[in-house]
Amino acid sequence: MWHTYFMTSKRKRVLYLQTEDRAFLLHRLPMSRAARDAGFDVHVATRVGDRRTEIESEGFTLHHIDWARGSRSPFNLAQAAMQIRRVIHRVAPDILHNVAVKPTLAGSLASLGMKHKVVNNIAGLGSAFLSKSPHKRIMAAGLAQALRLLMNQRRVCTIVQNPDDRVFLLKIGVRPEKIVIIAGSGVDTKALQPLPEPEEPVVATFVGRMLEDKGVRALVEAHGILSKRGTSLKLLLAGTPDPENPTSISESELAIWNSRDGLEWLGHVNDVTALWAKSHIAVLPSRREGLPKSLLEAAALGRPIVASDAPGCREIAVDGMTALTHPIDDAKAIADALQRLRDNADLRKRYGAAARQLVVEHFSNDIIGSQTVELYNQLISSTSDLLARH
């Protein structure tokens, strides 16, 4: 009798797989809280650094995975898959939620032959698919084939954050019924309220990793163009290099940039609200995104945007409504857009208000969390391989 009661009262379990503990806290906390509040036991498998206490304070169970995020070694991937499989056996999750490309590969391999449902979360396609070198193109083709095979497995679905990434997965052969669009990881629109614009001079701010793929080099070039024009604009760069990413900008080069007039590299910034309080314009000239949280946060705080017309960016940076957009890696176009917003306070105000409204209506924590939990429940209850609603 006790055994029957235990089985019928068993709580649902979700296991999140992410490369690093800080990345989990930065990007997956809203949806994991939504799962917890909906009655799921939440487990997190990741490389544990210095954020253990923060994760465990949420009531989540933490499992250490010893892997290198930047490694492309098949041996490293196989080792990680074996570790993950052991964690899966201990946790017995109803849902394994893999976040980003490497966890999708390792988590999907670990799940082969098991009965739980698998949710892959592709938050942008990363540098592997952006490089134009022949060697990287060959690697990307192999990666695309692996993703197609793993994403088409039974009991598997994949979340993408924008329509462009859905099109990409369709092109590599992932079946349409296997793909779900959930726009981003959510932003707390209750905590992030619109801020008044600070006094001039005008400040434009970039928040993100210091990568060429984020458009940082083109942005610095654009700032140089403005300086040559005699246009005064303060540029803040908030973020750190990422040595495990092949497009990372070195600290020595960042230090050189930091010595330029009107440009300041801040490194990591904990308080984004304070940062945006002293900024007039949010700028992200990225080559490709999933759905950038830095722009979502800036928009929630009422900041207008300058961003590339790139997948992921264009979901929040809507040209002529919330933003001025520009072609990818076009420094002159970036400079022109920054100058136009710098010189027009009314335009900044209008775009900032529209950006806030767009986030509230489509990208809040509550909306994204609800959509994610609905997907979990549908997968758990469904005996079909299809996703009817999504």
Side-chain angles (χ1 to χ4, degrees), residues 19-235:
T19 51
E20 295 179 342
D21 53 1
R22 63 174 182 82
F24 172 80
L25 287 168
L26 183 62
H27 296 294
R28 300 301 143 198
L29 198 52
M31 65 175 57
S32 57
R33 283 172 170 168
R36 177 198 63 198
D37 295 345
F40 283 79
D41 284 334
V42 176
H43 293 251
V44 182
T46 188
R47 182 170 63 184
V48 181
D50 57 359
R51 314 300 288 273
R52 174 182 292 275
T53 301
E54 290 173 75
I55 294 174
E56 292 181 338
S57 69
E58 296 284 342
F60 306 156
T61 304
L62 194 56
H63 307 267
H64 177 70
I65 300 293
D66 185 23
W67 59 2
R69 181 168 57 86
S71 173
R72 290 173 171 78
S73 164
F75 178 72
N76 180 268
L77 184 67
Q79 277 190 320
M82 287 189 290
Q83 287 187 65
I84 295 159
R85 194 171 178 90
R86 289 194 289 270
V87 173
I88 291 170
H89 276 299
R90 289 200 302 272
V91 174
D94 298 279
I95 299 285
L96 172 66
H97 191 139
N98 303 314
V99 181
V101 173
K102 184 170 182 178
T104 290
L105 293 171
S108 297
L109 286 171
S111 297
L112 291 175
M114 303 184 82
K115 294 183 178 180
H116 58 268
K117 304 296 174 69
V118 176
V119 175
N120 301 311
N121 209 147
I122 303 300
L125 293 167
S127 60
F129 295 101
L130 294 175
S131 175
K132 296 179 181 178
S133 76
H135 175 66
K136 293 290 182 63
R137 285 183 178 274
I138 292 171
M139 289 180 59
L143 179 55
Q145 184 175 10
L147 291 174
R148 175 180 62 81
L149 292 171
L150 293 170
M151 290 178 177
N152 281 330
Q153 294 290 314
R154 292 187 66 247
R155 298 185 298 276
V156 174
C157 79
T158 297
I159 297 172
V160 294
Q161 297 186 337
N162 63 71
D164 294 278
D165 285 353
R166 180 179 186 274
V167 169
F168 174 84
L169 293 185
L170 291 173
K171 284 182 177 178
I172 68 172
V174 180
R175 301 204 308 271
E177 68 272 16
K178 292 288 193 176
I179 307 170
V180 181
I181 296 179
I182 296 180
S185 54
V187 64
D188 191 341
T189 54
K190 295 170 185 168
L192 301 179
Q193 292 291 325
L195 296 169
E197 191 176 71
E199 296 294 323
E200 296 189 4
V202 174
V203 176
T205 297
F206 168 95
V207 176
R209 289 176 293 163
M210 296 293 113
L211 306 178
E212 286 192 29
D213 281 348
K214 295 285 186 183
V216 179
R217 194 178 298 283
L219 175 58
V220 171
E221 184 181 347
H223 184 261
I225 291 172
L226 291 174
S227 296
K228 289 177 182 177
R229 291 177 184 174
T231 301
S232 173
L233 178 76
K234 181 71 176 287
L235 176 61

Side-chain angles (χ1 to χ4, degrees), residues 112-373:
L112 291 175
M114 303 184 82
K115 294 183 178 180
H116 58 268
K117 304 296 174 69
V118 176
V119 175
N120 301 311
N121 209 147
I122 303 300
L125 293 167
S127 60
F129 295 101
L130 294 175
S131 175
K132 296 179 181 178
S133 76
H135 175 66
K136 293 290 182 63
R137 285 183 178 274
I138 292 171
M139 289 180 59
L143 179 55
Q145 184 175 10
L147 291 174
R148 175 180 62 81
L149 292 171
L150 293 170
M151 290 178 177
N152 281 330
Q153 294 290 314
R154 292 187 66 247
R155 298 185 298 276
V156 174
C157 79
T158 297
I159 297 172
V160 294
Q161 297 186 337
N162 63 71
D164 294 278
D165 285 353
R166 180 179 186 274
V167 169
F168 174 84
L169 293 185
L170 291 173
K171 284 182 177 178
I172 68 172
V174 180
R175 301 204 308 271
E177 68 272 16
K178 292 288 193 176
I179 307 170
V180 181
I181 296 179
I182 296 180
S185 54
V187 64
D188 191 341
T189 54
K190 295 170 185 168
L192 301 179
Q193 292 291 325
L195 296 169
E197 191 176 71
E199 296 294 323
E200 296 189 4
V202 174
V203 176
T205 297
F206 168 95
V207 176
R209 289 176 293 163
M210 296 293 113
L211 306 178
E212 286 192 29
D213 281 348
K214 295 285 186 183
V216 179
R217 194 178 298 283
L219 175 58
V220 171
E221 184 181 347
H223 184 261
I225 291 172
L226 291 174
S227 296
K228 289 177 182 177
R229 291 177 184 174
T231 301
S232 173
L233 178 76
K234 181 71 176 287
L235 176 61
L236 301 179
L237 303 177
T240 58
D242 182 359
E244 294 188 14
N245 187 294
T247 73
S248 183
I249 295 166
S250 68
E251 288 200 23
S252 59
E253 186 168 12
L254 288 165
I256 293 170
W257 291 350
N258 193 49
S259 67
R260 295 184 181 183
D261 288 340
L263 192 157
E264 187 176 358
W265 172 45
L266 304 174
H268 177 71
V269 173
N270 286 316
D271 190 344
V272 293
T273 301
L275 179 63
W276 291 119
K278 61 183 180 183
S279 307
H280 299 74
I281 302 166
V283 56
L284 182 63
S286 183
R287 294 169 178 167
R288 191 173 189 118
E289 294 285 329
L291 208 158
K293 188 165 186 179
S294 65
L295 289 189
L296 293 176
E297 290 175 335
L301 293 163
R303 292 298 176 254
I305 297 166
V306 169
S308 53
D309 183 20
C313 291
R314 62 174 70 108
E315 308 311 306
I316 181 65
V318 182
D319 192 58
M321 186 180 89
T322 67
L324 294 176
T325 63
H326 57 81
I328 294 169
D329 287 336
D330 189 333
K332 181 181 180 300
I334 298 170
D336 291 342
L338 287 170
Q339 180 153 9
R340 186 179 169 198
L341 274 184
R342 171 199 177 275
D343 294 342
N344 194 328
D346 289 340
L347 194 62
R348 295 197 302 268
K349 183 178 180 181
R350 187 166 81 245
Y351 284 1
R356 163 73 186 182
Q357 189 62 30
L358 185 63
V359 170
V360 169
E361 291 179 357
H362 297 285
F363 305 118
S364 72
N365 283 354
D366 291 344
I367 292 170
I368 302 305
S370 175
Q371 291 174 351
T372 304
V373 170

